[in-house]
Amino acid sequence: MTVETAKKKVILSGIQSSGALTLGSYIGAIRNWVELSEEYDCYYCIVDMHAITVRQDPETLRRNTLEQLAQYVAAGLDPKRNVLFVQSHVPSHAQLGWVLGCYAMFGELSRMTQFKEKSAKNAGNINAGLFTYPVLMAADILLYQADLVPVGDDQRQHLEITRDIAMRFNGIYGETFKIPEAHIPKLGARVMDLQSPGNKMSKSEAASGGCVGIMDKPEDIMRAFKRAVTDSGSEVRFDPETKPGVSNLMQIYAVCANKTLPEVEREFSGRGYGDFKRSVGEAVIETLRPIREDASRLAGDRALLAEICADGAERASLAAERTLRNVYDKLGFVLK
Ligand code: TRP
């Protein structure tokens, strides 16, 4: 008999392919994903099916999806160590999504903050996909029997509903799904918009100049940081309540320059905001430079990207189909 190594815990996470990755998704998500891949069995997807809950231009979506894969790899996610895949390549997501929709309640879906916010923003297109978005996300997670789901803290509620749906299903049919936990990073859990630090940095707000993309040119990044909103004071001190802009910049700097918040406070004591903002801009530019260069090179190699996604889809399907088959069996579907 061969000695098997203990089964590693499973991680799953995903980001929508609705535009180039932002500094927020790099700091809040991908940097941590890279670290987690040392210790866990990791599935990282590009959720193109979630992206179409708001209108997308087809050519742009296709390009964004492939470029996002290039950005994942450039940011340090090794496609051999991790399963990197495109959600629409693994049909089990849509299939389990339908099933779970029959175990998710209209009332609980109506209470989702993200649904309410997105409906307010897209008043002309409050489609059913936007409403059942959390159900598809639950399918993403539960298919892989994920133990941990690294997400930003705006996604806590979606994790809660995933757990509720899974427990409800398990309650009826017996142990079927692992109940996943959110894994929220301590530092940089939520990178805020540089222009309105009360809101999360988001691609949909790119026009205001408050969002930095990981593929942005150095001069654009510097401009965004120089223009970043601070406050009427002059002290670089971490206090998200009264100094949200400065505190956000401090977090970004701490991560990019690999320093602690007290170290950052000390470094800039008595130096004023102008100096501070320039330093944050430089640290971000240097952090992103190698990623941007690698990502643009990789994005040009469409054959390699196609190979990476085919391999990822195959490995993801293996795990996903096992769960789906078990679910179908428990439901009473005739297995083929
Ligand atoms: N809803 C997530 C977000 O907007 C994206 C997402 C879709 C996701 N499916 C997922 C995140 C599964 C983690 C796990 O950030």
Side-chain angles (χ1 to χ4, degrees), residues 12-16 45 47 50 87 114 118 133 136-137 140-141 149-151 154-155 158-159 200:
L12 176 128
S13 199
I15 298 178
Q16 293 192 36
C45 59
V47 293
H50 278 108
Q87 185 187 31
Q114 188 170 301
K118 287 199 178 170
Y133 180 112
L136 181 59
M137 177 161 163
D140 298 341
I141 296 166
V149 184
V151 280
D154 61 312
Q155 295 294 310
H158 285 164
L159 244 293
K200 182 180 156 180

Side-chain angles (χ1 to χ4, degrees), residues 269-315:
S269 102
R271 281 176 55 189
Y273 289 160
D275 216 8
F276 172 54
K277 292 202 268 189
R278 203 164 319 107
S279 299
V280 183
E282 277 161 15
V284 170
I285 290 168
E286 290 320 312
T287 302
L288 296 182
R289 186 189 306 281
I291 301 176
R292 178 175 43 109
E293 290 173 357
D294 273 4
S296 11
R297 194 169 38 243
L298 260 170
D301 193 342
R302 289 303 208 250
L304 179 61
L305 291 178
E307 222 174 90
I308 294 173
C309 26
D311 177 60
E314 195 182 319
R315 288 152 71 204

Side-chain angles (χ1 to χ4, degrees), residues 56 121 170 244 311:
Q56 302 287 339
K121 266 199 213 157
N170 287 354
D311 177 60

Side-chain angles (χ1 to χ4, degrees), residues 155-169:
Q155 295 294 310
R156 265 181 212 280
Q157 204 185 20
H158 285 164
L159 244 293
E160 271 316 304
I161 197 173
T162 299
R163 291 163 55 89
D164 290 342
I165 294 170
M167 288 190 266
R168 191 172 296 141
F169 194 98

Side-chain angles (χ1 to χ4, degrees), residues 128-275:
L130 205 54
F131 187 66
T132 58
Y133 180 112
V135 176
L136 181 59
M137 177 161 163
D140 298 341
I141 296 166
L142 299 176
L143 273 176
Y144 300 91
Q145 307 289 348
D147 294 277
L148 291 177
V149 184
V151 280
D153 95 273
D154 61 312
Q155 295 294 310
R156 265 181 212 280
Q157 204 185 20
H158 285 164
L159 244 293
E160 271 316 304
I161 197 173
T162 299
R163 291 163 55 89
D164 290 342
I165 294 170
M167 288 190 266
R168 191 172 296 141
F169 194 98
N170 287 354
I172 304 171
Y173 300 99
E175 275 313 294
T176 309
F177 298 121
K178 176 67 115 323
I179 309 301
E181 309 238 359
H183 181 278
I184 313 238
K186 282 184 248 6
L187 200 59
R190 199 168 193 180
V191 174
M192 309 310 267
D193 187 279
L194 302 182
Q195 286 304 312
S196 37
N199 302 326
K200 182 180 156 180
M201 182 180 280
S202 151
K203 312 183 234 220
S204 50
E205 302 300 319
S208 69
C211 176
V212 170
I214 71 166
M215 302 303 281
D216 288 357
K217 294 200 280 296
E219 56 270 31
D220 294 338
I221 297 177
M222 188 51 90
R223 187 170 334 107
F225 280 98
K226 282 192 178 157
R227 293 182 45 224
V229 167
T230 45
D231 52 59
S232 55
S234 61
E235 220 186 336
V236 175
R237 180 165 50 82
F238 191 72
D239 182 352
E241 288 298 312
T242 62
K243 299 167 84 70
V246 167
S247 302
N248 184 40
L249 293 172
M250 285 181 72
Q251 292 226 39
I252 294 173
Y253 184 71
V255 169
C256 293
N258 199 17
K259 293 184 176 156
T260 65
L261 293 172
E263 282 170 352
V264 179
E265 277 180 13
R266 246 173 289 141
E267 183 176 348
F268 292 98
S269 102
R271 281 176 55 189
Y273 289 160
D275 216 8

Side-chain angles (χ1 to χ4, degrees), residues 29-95:
I30 300 189
R31 233 175 32 96
N32 301 297
W33 293 5
V34 173
E35 232 168 82
L36 293 165
S37 60
E38 307 270 322
E39 219 182 307
Y40 299 91
D41 237 342
C42 300
Y43 293 85
Y44 295 126
C45 59
I46 297 171
V47 293
D48 52 350
M49 288 160 66
H50 278 108
I52 62 161
T53 54
V54 300
R55 290 282 175 266
Q56 302 287 339
D57 168 64
E59 279 319 314
T60 311
L61 179 63
R62 204 176 341 266
R63 194 183 58 240
N64 284 341
T65 302
L66 288 169
E67 290 183 358
Q68 188 165 321
L69 179 64
Q71 292 160 23
Y72 277 8
V73 177
L77 293 172
D78 179 345
K80 290 274 172 281
R81 291 187 79 153
N82 302 281
V83 181
L84 307 183
F85 69 103
V86 176
Q87 185 187 31
S88 66
H89 289 178
V90 182
S92 308
H93 290 247
Q95 293 168 302

